[in-house]
Amino acid sequence: MPADVHLEIKNLSHSFGGLQALENINVTLQKGEIGGLIGPNGAGKTTVFNLISGFYVPSAGDIIVSGMKINGKKPHEIAAMKIGRTFQNIRLWSEMTVLDNIRISQHYRLGYNAADAFFHTKRYKRREAEIAQRAWELLEIFKLTDLAYEYPKNIPYGIQRRVEIVRALSLQPDLLLLDEPAAGLSTVDTVQLIDYVTWLHENFHLTIWMIEHQMDVIMKLCQNITVIDFGREIASGSPEEIKNDPDVIKAYLGDGQL
Ligand SMILES: Nc1ncnc2c1ncn2[C@@H]1O[C@H](COP(=O)(O)OP(=O)(O)OP(=O)(O)O)[C@@H](O)[C@H]1O
Ligand SMILES: [Mg+2]
């Protein structure tokens, strides 16, 4: 495997009981690339992300990240391997402030034990300070400082989506999976999302894989796109190739999204 391959998915299949949700999916993402994963509703896109992030164990095939096979690992182990994600349906903790939503994720990464927390050891204090500092840095970059002590339900939907991205970034991932980051966003918020993703790709040198129904977002951001339909890969290539692919056009004709 060449050194610059970040994510490799090989013959990935998954079934839920009798439903074959994915069949023999093969995708390679180079380090630093922004890739797209598209396909009609129910095609199996989120299932791919759930398999990578350890929510499900693949029925068959391999998921290889930086040369290491990760199938079967638990979600917190995957998060510790610098793989971050956001969710199609926002999953912020509603009882916590924006700041705490961002801080709490990092406890996974900067592990300390219950005794540390109870006795407030030096290690605990040092790590708490580190966590808070990183959270504030990210809040500032993403213009969320004013909302640090606000609860998610009190902030607009588009900004909740931004908080989700920041929460994923707090774990310092080098591979970021975004599941429909533009879903439900206004035109203004969508343009801003494109700017933020471009910015963090350039400045944090991330590899990003993005599921998205909004084609303008995918076409603007992605170098390579994989298209799946009914759990099978029907095309992959540059935005230009995908736009003109007859199978892709056919798959999308039903819902007129392309
Ligand atoms: N936990 C589950 N149990 C049973 N079936 C599931 C489960 N998760 C997903 N599925 C089924 O697997 C198929 C693929 O679902 P998935 O959510 O991956 O699609 P998707 O491409 O993300 O769709 P959308 O664009 O609507 O988000 C669907 O038929 C879905 O109903
Ligand atoms: Mg989905």
Side-chain angles (χ1 to χ4, degrees), residues 42-221:
K45 305 178 296 295
T46 298
T47 303
V48 174
F49 278 16
N50 284 338
L51 289 166
I52 298 171
S53 44
F55 291 106
Y56 309 136
V57 179
S59 307
D62 283 324
I63 301 164
I64 299 160
V65 174
S66 303
M68 192 189 293
K69 205 164 121 173
I70 64 159
N71 15 335
K73 289 197 186 296
K74 302 264 181 303
H76 70 272
E77 293 173 315
I78 305 276
M81 294 177 70
K82 294 184 168 285
I83 301 167
R85 73 169 292 181
T86 64
F87 293 91
Q88 183 169 354
N89 304 309
I90 295 176
R91 287 203 195 174
L92 295 171
W93 288 287
S94 57
E95 306 307 317
M96 284 182 199
T97 63
V98 165
L99 177 64
D100 284 343
N101 263 280
I102 293 162
R103 287 199 312 192
I104 195 90
S105 315
Q106 297 182 70
H107 287 101
Y108 274 133
R109 187 175 59 88
L110 300 171
Y112 43 70
N113 58 39
D116 282 334
F118 188 74
F119 294 114
H120 282 207
T121 61
K122 264 192 196 155
R123 180 168 63 162
Y124 172 84
K125 284 184 188 151
R126 194 177 59 237
R127 288 184 174 172
E128 278 300 300
E130 224 179 291
I131 284 172
Q133 191 192 340
R134 171 126 188 113
W136 282 109
E137 275 169 15
L138 286 168
L139 286 171
E140 199 163 324
I141 291 169
F142 288 87
K143 298 194 170 53
L144 291 166
T145 317
D146 291 351
L147 297 172
Y149 296 109
E150 201 51 86
Y151 291 88
K153 66 172 185 303
N154 297 332
I155 61 178
Y157 187 78
I159 298 181
Q160 290 181 32
R161 282 228 169 263
R162 207 191 308 162
V163 174
E164 262 237 326
I165 294 176
V166 171
R167 184 174 62 170
L169 291 172
S170 73
L171 292 165
Q172 294 180 279
D174 50 25
L175 171 62
L176 182 63
L177 309 172
L178 301 173
D179 195 347
E180 298 200 30
L185 295 194
S186 67
T187 313
V188 173
D189 284 342
T190 303
V191 171
Q192 203 171 46
L193 171 80
I194 293 171
D195 286 348
Y196 277 125
V197 173
T198 307
W199 187 92
L200 67 92
H201 176 244
E202 282 169 6
N203 290 276
F204 289 170
H205 311 293
L206 300 179
T207 306
I208 299 174
W209 203 14
M210 180 188 295
I211 296 173
E212 188 48 68
H213 282 293
Q214 288 206 35
M215 286 308 142
D216 48 341
V217 175
I218 285 284
M219 297 297 166
K220 276 198 184 107
L221 286 172

